[in-house]
Amino acid sequence: MRYKILLPQEIMQEGREYLESRGYELITGSGMEEDDIIRDIPDCDGIIVRLSKMSARVFEAASKLKVVARHGAGYDTVDLQAARRHGVTVLNAPLANSMSVAELAIFFMLHCSRNFTLVRQTMLEDYYHAKLRTPKVELDGKTLGLIGFGNIGSRVALKALHGFNMKVIAYDPYKTAEQMPEGVELTQDFNRIFKESDFVSLHCPATEETFDFIGEKEFSLMKPTAYFINTARGKLVDEKALYHALSTSRIAGAGLDVLKKEPFDPADPIFALSNVVIAPHIGAATQEATDRASLHSAIGIDEVLSGKKPSWPVPGF
């Protein structure tokens, strides 16, 4: 029997070739919206999901579905309970984009440290104000606080430690001190990250436990000279509290790759602030990360449908 794999969005050539060379039939989807997938999926055994959401309605329509592969590390767009009810294995690609997202986190730190949004806004109007009177700092010697120390957080730590001579402290309730690389201090005091850090960088998944878990209290603990970096998920942050902290200079600034609403709402007042840099969720959008995600998704699909133990199952699968 030839298994059919639905692709609501295109994947990279390496992933396509991996599956086609093993006899899989790749079905090009008619679209990436929920109704498109419901229309396309009834006869498919697997699906590789990029931006599409796998809702309970999708799983109800997918009578033959055996495996969902998330084309990236996050899996908050998949209804995991529905997947379990229908006996579908859910995979992700946690190693595919970790380097690219870690590099973006460092970029945001550099951008914030030089107050670059404000510099760009003022340099043509008042060159010397932008050059000499806009506050700027170095990363060297500053304290980086990491929330989450998985594949991405650990890469950020090493780049900050060895590339910029930063002091690194990390909070992760699932790690032990013995798992920390030399030079990184693990703390179980969540509040300490906010109190002591010059840069706080968020690197944890979006779950019911972490929804809006960074809010007014956490921002109130930060130094007025500190910066907040989020390359994880917008769902993790109370955005009203973040806007208040930024607009009142309670914190110095922020670098954000994600917001709760994506695509962005142009009317969101956060875009008018001069102490924030925002990107449209580009952390995993490099050529290298996309190539790896396609290949790792294809490998996972083949492992499940071949009866092998999958390399990258989502926790609980």
Side-chain angles (χ1 to χ4, degrees):
M1 180 178 66
R2 194 178 190 197
Y3 288 121
K4 295 181 179 181
I5 311 301
L6 178 61
L7 305 178
Q9 288 181 275
E10 188 55 88
I11 64 172
M12 299 300 103
Q13 190 62 30
E14 196 170 2
R16 289 190 66 93
E17 291 175 355
Y18 187 93
L19 290 171
E20 288 173 338
S21 68
R22 287 159 175 78
Y24 293 95
E25 181 181 353
L26 304 186
I27 307 298
T28 300
S30 59
M32 56 177 282
E33 301 301 326
E34 182 182 49
D35 288 342
D36 299 321
I37 298 177
I38 288 172
R39 180 171 54 251
D40 297 336
I41 206 169
D43 197 38
C44 293
D45 304 279
I47 181 172
I48 295 178
V49 181
R50 297 187 68 173
L51 299 179
S52 302
K53 294 182 179 180
M54 292 294 292
S55 66
R57 286 185 63 221
V58 171
F59 283 104
E60 289 166 5
S63 57
K64 294 180 63 179
L65 192 66
K66 301 172 184 65
V67 56
V68 173
R70 259 290 296 127
H71 192 277
Y75 45 85
D76 52 306
T77 55
V78 180
D79 188 327
L80 300 182
Q81 292 184 354
R84 292 188 184 97
R85 285 198 305 271
H86 291 272
V88 178
T89 300
V90 181
L91 315 172
N92 65 340
L95 305 181
N97 63 15
S98 55
M99 181 63 75
S100 292
V101 178
E103 288 182 358
L104 185 66
I106 295 293
F107 165 82
F108 279 143
M109 290 182 223
L110 289 166
H111 194 291
C112 288
S113 71
R114 298 306 172 99
N115 214 342
F116 202 63
T117 298
L118 184 57
V119 165
R120 288 194 65 208
Q121 289 175 353
T122 58
M123 64 184 183
L124 297 182
E125 179 182 336
D126 191 334
Y127 179 87
Y128 288 106
H129 186 280
K131 176 180 173 66
L132 301 174
R133 297 192 185 118
T134 304
K136 307 170 191 69
V137 296
E138 296 179 345
L139 297 189
D140 185 86
K142 301 298 189 297
T143 297
L144 168 62
L146 297 169
I147 302 173
F149 202 80
N151 293 311
I152 298 171
S154 59
R155 288 186 184 274
V156 174
L158 294 177
K159 293 177 187 300
L161 188 69
H162 300 299
F164 296 95
N165 190 38
M166 300 180 79
K167 175 184 177 182
V168 181
I169 56 177
Y171 172 85
D172 191 320
Y174 303 102
K175 298 292 182 180
T176 65
E178 290 71 29
Q179 294 175 296
M180 294 294 106
E182 185 178 355
V184 178
E185 180 186 357
L186 179 69
T187 179
Q188 297 304 331
D189 184 350
F190 185 63
N191 291 340
R192 182 186 168 201
I193 296 291
F194 297 91
K195 291 177 181 177
E196 296 186 13
S197 300
D198 299 295
F199 295 84
V200 174
S201 193
L202 197 51
H203 301 286
C204 48
T207 65
E208 291 183 7
E209 182 183 15
T210 58
F211 182 79
D212 271 359
F213 85 131
I214 308 296
E216 183 177 353
K217 175 189 173 184
E218 288 69 34
F219 293 124
S220 71
L221 295 174
M222 291 176 67
K223 304 174 186 178
T225 55
Y227 296 91
F228 178 72
I229 309 297
N230 185 7
T231 56
R233 287 291 188 270
K235 295 177 182 178
L236 305 175
V237 181
D238 179 341
E239 290 183 349
K240 289 184 178 179
L242 174 59
Y243 177 81
H244 184 261
L246 290 167
S247 62
T248 62
S249 298
R250 181 63 197 80
I251 63 174
L256 310 172
D257 191 39
V258 289
L259 293 174
K260 276 192 172 72
K261 182 175 175 54
E262 297 176 11
F264 298 149
D265 177 2
D268 190 329
I270 200 167
F271 289 102
L273 298 178
S274 60
N275 58 347
V276 61
V277 54
I278 303 174
H281 207 151
I282 62 171
T286 62
Q287 178 179 330
E288 294 87 350
T290 306
D291 286 344
R292 284 191 295 265
S294 291
L295 178 59
H296 291 187
S297 297
I299 290 172
I301 289 278
D302 180 59
E303 287 173 335
V304 171
L305 295 180
S306 298
K308 301 173 185 175
K309 182 179 179 180
S311 299
W312 305 290
V314 165
F317 286 85

